[in-house]
Amino acid sequence: MLMIRGLSGGYGALPVLNGIDLRVEAGEVVGLLGRNGAGKTTMLRVIAGWLRATSGSITLDGQELIRLPAFRRARAGIAHVPQGRGIFNALTVRENLEVGTRAASLRGGQGIPEDVFHYFPILRERQGQIAGTLSGGQQQQLAIGRALCGRPSVLLLDEPSEGIQPNIVQSIADIIPRIARERGLAVVLVEQNLDLALQASDRCFVIEKGKIVHSATPAELADETILKELLAL
Ligand SMILES: Nc1ncnc2c1ncn2[C@@H]1O[C@H](COP(=O)(O)OP(=O)(O)OP(=O)(O)O)[C@@H](O)[C@H]1O
Ligand SMILES: [Mg+2]
């Protein structure tokens, strides 16, 4: 279980997060919604350890991570798929996946987990292809697949639907909850694509000016009036 309490932080002296509290259970997908600039990306970066928290606590199954650098958090089981994917364009698909296995090497992980190819069959077919020549949707699948190669217990996904075609958005919406259930993975899904967020999430939170201001079930948010009110659309 990922537990975040009173988390604040941002870019140097500029505070962006303002006391975030969030709990994500193993096997659960939590959707994080909010307007541009609300602090969604910042929040994932602070959890992953790329940005320093100024206060608060982040625990994973009881282990405090707040003072650990990003690579130690990755080894502890936090996987981050950044906005814009962050794959190695010049490496092949297989090499990208192999890089992903390193986070698990100290926890006894051996090689590329077979389920990655079940979830994303295209990655098996394209193992030898240079990653930069994949389509946007295929690159997103590679980015998620690579994260899974580290056998994480937390997966932070930043706008996986951004810039990809609708049929792949749908397949990502289908696969995220399945991976969460089957792997017992705690997923934080940042999304501006509401259909995807509502389909894939068990619970949703709205972030505004670096604070979580509302929580709702996807069923509640399917009501357009409530949604418009919460997101101030
Ligand atoms: N590298 C940076 N240096 C300084 N400020 C930044 C930096 N990146 C983002 N910010 C600021 O932090 C705030 C939160 O940005 P963030 O990227 O977390 O928002 P977001 O919710 O992910 O938005 P979007 O939906 O556009 O991705 C914004 O005010 C933004 O201008
Ligand atoms: Mg963002």
Side-chain angles (χ1 to χ4, degrees):
M1 179 184 63
L2 176 71
M3 179 79 102
I4 294 167
R5 287 198 209 90
L7 189 65
S8 297
Y11 302 89
L14 184 77
V16 174
L17 303 185
N18 209 338
I20 298 268
D21 294 302
L22 184 69
R23 194 192 74 230
V24 192
E25 306 282 350
E28 181 184 40
V29 182
V30 162
L32 204 58
L33 312 174
R35 281 184 287 176
N36 292 118
K40 305 180 297 295
T41 293
T42 304
M43 178 169 160
L44 298 193
R45 286 185 182 150
V46 172
I47 299 172
W50 300 114
L51 286 175
R52 216 185 248 280
T54 48
S55 61
S57 150
I58 302 169
T59 61
L60 178 55
D61 299 328
Q63 185 196 356
E64 180 59 70
L65 303 179
I66 199 87
R67 275 172 293 276
L68 300 183
F71 78 96
R72 299 262 318 267
R73 294 192 203 185
R75 283 185 194 164
I78 305 269
H80 179 217
V81 178
Q83 197 165 6
R85 304 168 195 128
I87 59 167
F88 298 108
N89 283 322
L91 300 185
T92 64
V93 166
R94 187 169 188 92
E95 286 163 347
N96 268 276
L97 295 174
E98 280 165 354
V99 171
T101 64
R102 288 192 196 158
S105 54
L106 291 179
R107 280 176 281 119
Q110 294 285 322
I112 300 170
E114 191 53 33
D115 63 356
V116 169
F117 293 124
H118 288 300
Y119 295 133
F120 304 111
I122 189 79
L123 300 181
R124 191 200 301 276
E125 288 166 30
R126 303 295 179 89
Q127 283 183 67
Q129 188 170 334
I130 297 294
T133 65
L134 296 171
S135 74
Q138 291 163 348
Q139 290 185 12
Q140 188 57 254
Q141 297 179 73
L142 174 59
I144 299 172
R146 186 181 65 176
L148 295 178
C149 285
R151 302 172 197 267
S153 36
V154 173
L155 180 63
L156 309 172
L157 294 175
D158 201 346
E159 305 214 22
S161 77
E162 200 175 47
I164 66 179
Q165 60 202 64
N167 64 324
I168 300 196
V169 173
Q170 185 54 49
S171 80
I172 287 177
D174 294 336
I175 207 78
I176 289 171
R178 214 185 113 201
I179 296 172
R181 308 292 181 265
E182 292 176 4
R183 284 263 192 130
L185 192 60
V187 179
V188 182
L189 171 65
V190 164
E191 255 310 331
Q192 301 247 17
N193 179 325
L194 288 171
D195 288 338
L196 192 164
L198 298 185
Q199 256 186 65
S201 307
D202 298 298
R203 292 185 292 143
C204 289
F205 293 89
V206 178
I207 180 168
E208 208 178 284
K209 295 190 184 129
K211 259 185 155 26
I212 289 181
V213 290
H214 298 288
S215 74
T217 63
E220 286 162 348
L221 290 178
D223 181 330
E224 219 166 289
T225 5
I226 295 182
L227 190 65
K228 280 191 175 151
E229 206 172 293
L230 294 186
L231 288 175
L233 295 173

